[in-house]
Amino acid sequence: MDPCPFVRLIIESLSLKLPFAATKPAGSGVHPTATPCFCVLKLKGFPTQTALLPLCPSPPTTDSSSSSAPETTTSAPGFHLDAAALRRVSGKPIPLRVSVYTGGMGRNCGVSGGRLLGKLQLKLDLGDEKENAANSGSRSGTNVFQNGWLTLRCQPGKPAARIHMVCRAEPDPRFVFQFGGEPECSPVVFQIQGCIRQPVFSCKFSADRNSRSRSLPSDFNNASSNGTWTKTFSTREREKASRRERKGWMITIHDLSGSPVAAASMITPFVPSPGSDRVSRSNPGAWLILRPHGFSVSTWKPWGRLEAWRERGGAVDGLGYKFELMTDSNGGRVAIAEGSVGVRKGGRFDIDGRTVREPVSRSGSAKGFVMGSTVEGEGKVSRPVVQVGVQHVTCTGDAALFVALSAAVDLSMDACRLFSSKLRKELCHDDQDGL
């Protein structure tokens, strides 16, 4: 499998030095020493990003000897440039615009509630298309654009603040896969490399009420939620939910030879909370992401656990999720991704290595980008696109695990639909009618 060229623009080691005038309170108003400061980062063609700025205690100076890095810093989310974005910027510098504010971040990209302290602009040269393609198989070739203090442009006559920043671009090659259809329709999964689409996996989806008990070891089927794989319900609650539950879903990923290499199995049913028609955060549904164990094709070993629920979000609900990585054979696990995706417009499910302390794959590495997957909103045709960092793939089975996880996230959007809505026939059991 050949990866696609990606470049990750990293913005970190952020800190702010304020001038004496700004650090001395003078009557009423917003004082940066007691009010958060933040920066807004703009790169053409990408969503605006914000990051909080911790204050460096010493005042700014133009003396070049004052170049030591601050003790307390933060990082911005950073920008990810795929092959198409790299083609757009190939051979020409692009501006990164940085605006620094003090005060509350508000709602509009952090700007509406803040007072502008100053601005600056960095010119970034991300190289040409051939250079990025040559680095698509490795993580060498880091380009550092800024490492130190910069003076902000402000209104004439006013003292200027300074911002510390490390800005660098590094190759971040990724394997890219796309489902040929919606996961519940058992599609083929293609690997994408430029204009080439090559089939690498096939999927088999089932909505069998008994699929979980056949495919998983008995200890994972019978454990209680505090033990902790399934929820325990009273007899009355179980009878009440028996006709209003979504359970037994499973999707198996096969390689080109037809051998199963990964699977996602619904281990905890998706049921509405009492008195409502939605899956609540207090009682989420859950999936196990599985890899083959031993020589039997029907024996699986858990690799990760995904919980999902429907969050109330004012005018728009969201699909809430938490993904945990298995750390040992006794059920130990650590959360490595948690967030939400809008049910109307969809979004992305991402795992970032900067927040992961446990090895994600057999390579033992958890640095850099791990994986990302597109998630469509309710009622939309979904063919998830999955990106996986090359350092997390040592064999086809590793890639298949991330494909199975992507399918589970996508199917959770259907599993968390309001129970007043009907599901498509592929998701229903034989004794259900679009529940």
Side-chain angles (χ1 to χ4, degrees):
M1 295 190 299
D2 295 323
C4 294
F6 277 75
V7 169
R8 185 173 190 174
L9 184 62
I10 300 171
I11 303 166
E12 58 188 2
S13 192
L14 294 168
S15 187
L16 186 68
K17 283 184 179 181
L18 296 174
F20 279 121
T23 59
K24 293 181 179 180
S28 60
V30 175
H31 303 297
T33 53
T35 307
C37 296
F38 61 94
C39 64
V40 176
L41 307 169
K42 294 183 179 180
L43 191 67
K44 186 177 180 180
F46 293 87
T48 299
Q49 297 185 4
T50 60
L52 290 174
L53 293 174
L55 296 181
C56 188
S58 59
T61 175
T62 57
D63 186 356
S64 60
S65 63
S66 178
S67 58
S68 59
E71 295 182 358
T72 304
T73 64
T74 58
S75 299
F79 299 91
H80 302 261
L81 287 79
D82 60 13
L86 292 173
R87 284 194 294 270
R88 290 198 304 269
V89 303
S90 177
K92 56 184 178 182
I94 56 174
L96 172 66
R97 295 182 172 87
V98 183
S99 302
V100 176
Y101 297 83
T102 182
M105 288 200 293
R107 294 185 178 181
N108 298 324
C109 302
V111 177
S112 61
R115 178 171 63 86
L116 181 66
L117 290 179
K119 300 180 178 181
L120 63 85
Q121 179 174 292
L122 291 178
K123 290 288 187 179
L124 311 180
D125 187 354
L126 298 175
D128 57 33
E129 189 174 355
K130 291 183 179 179
E131 180 182 350
N132 290 313
N135 290 327
S136 64
S138 69
R139 295 181 59 82
S140 60
T142 298
N143 192 354
V144 179
F145 303 109
Q146 169 63 27
N147 183 5
W149 292 96
L150 291 168
T151 301
L152 297 172
R153 298 195 311 271
C154 60
Q155 294 182 8
K158 288 191 175 183
R162 303 188 80 197
I163 184 173
H164 187 276
M165 174 189 299
V166 173
C167 178
R168 70 179 192 274
E170 62 180 28
D172 192 18
R174 305 172 187 179
F175 295 107
V176 180
F177 306 94
Q178 183 175 21
F179 286 74
E182 296 178 286
E184 61 267 31
C185 296
S186 301
V188 171
V189 177
F190 298 90
Q191 183 187 359
I192 310 298
Q193 223 288 331
C195 298
I196 301 174
R197 289 165 54 92
Q198 180 178 355
V200 288
F201 301 116
S202 61
C203 302
K204 177 62 178 177
F205 175 80
S206 64
D208 188 339
R209 290 183 179 273
N210 299 315
S211 62
R212 184 182 64 181
S213 60
R214 289 201 312 265
S215 60
L216 299 178
S218 59
D219 54 338
F220 290 108
N221 284 319
N222 299 327
S224 68
S225 67
N226 291 326
T228 85
W229 295 108
T230 60
K231 296 287 183 182
T232 301
F233 300 96
S234 67
T235 302
R236 183 177 180 182
E237 288 174 329
R238 190 178 298 276
E239 291 176 351
K240 188 175 181 180
S242 61
R243 295 185 60 82
R244 299 188 68 208
E245 60 181 9
R246 293 158 183 165
K247 74 175 203 177
W249 296 4
M250 183 171 183
I251 186 165
T252 308
I253 313 299
H254 300 261
D255 63 17
L256 293 180
S257 70
S259 300
V261 286
S265 180
M266 190 181 283
I267 191 70
T268 302
F270 286 70
V271 298
S273 59
S276 77
D277 62 349
R278 66 178 58 227
V279 180
S280 67
R281 183 168 190 167
S282 60
N283 186 31
W287 300 78
L288 284 184
I289 312 302
L290 307 161
R291 65 177 358 139
H293 182 60
F295 297 100
S296 173
V297 295
S298 61
T299 304
W300 299 93
K301 180 180 179 180
W303 172 72
R305 184 175 190 265
L306 175 72
E307 287 186 349
W309 59 91
R310 190 180 180 104
E311 290 188 335
R312 295 182 183 273
V316 181
D317 285 354
L319 173 71
Y321 63 82
K322 180 172 72 172
F323 178 67
E324 298 170 308
L325 192 68
M326 299 296 301
T327 58
D328 56 55
S329 59
N330 296 321
R333 58 187 188 269
V334 60
I336 63 173
E338 187 168 1
S340 64
V341 175
V343 299
R344 181 182 299 173
K345 295 183 178 181
R348 280 181 60 89
F349 170 86
D350 288 296
I351 302 177
D352 192 320
R354 292 184 299 174
T355 63
V356 181
R357 296 184 179 181
E358 296 291 332
V360 179
S361 64
R362 296 182 181 94
S363 66
S365 172
K367 294 182 179 180
F369 174 84
V370 178
M371 71 90 68
S373 176
T374 58
V375 184
E376 294 294 341
E378 282 186 352
K380 297 181 180 180
V381 176
S382 179
R383 297 183 178 90
V385 176
V386 189
Q387 300 171 5
V388 185
V390 293
Q391 69 272 31
H392 302 290
V393 178
T394 59
C395 63
T396 303
D398 289 339
L401 287 169
F402 293 108
V403 171
L405 173 58
S406 171
V409 174
D410 183 86
L411 290 167
S412 293
M413 183 68 78
D414 293 297
C416 288
R417 285 179 70 102
L418 297 177
F419 277 74
S420 56
S421 303
K422 287 189 175 183
L423 299 179
R424 59 186 301 168
K425 62 180 182 179
E426 289 85 356
L427 295 166
C428 299
H429 305 295
D430 293 338
D431 58 346
Q432 290 179 309
D433 182 21
L435 295 180

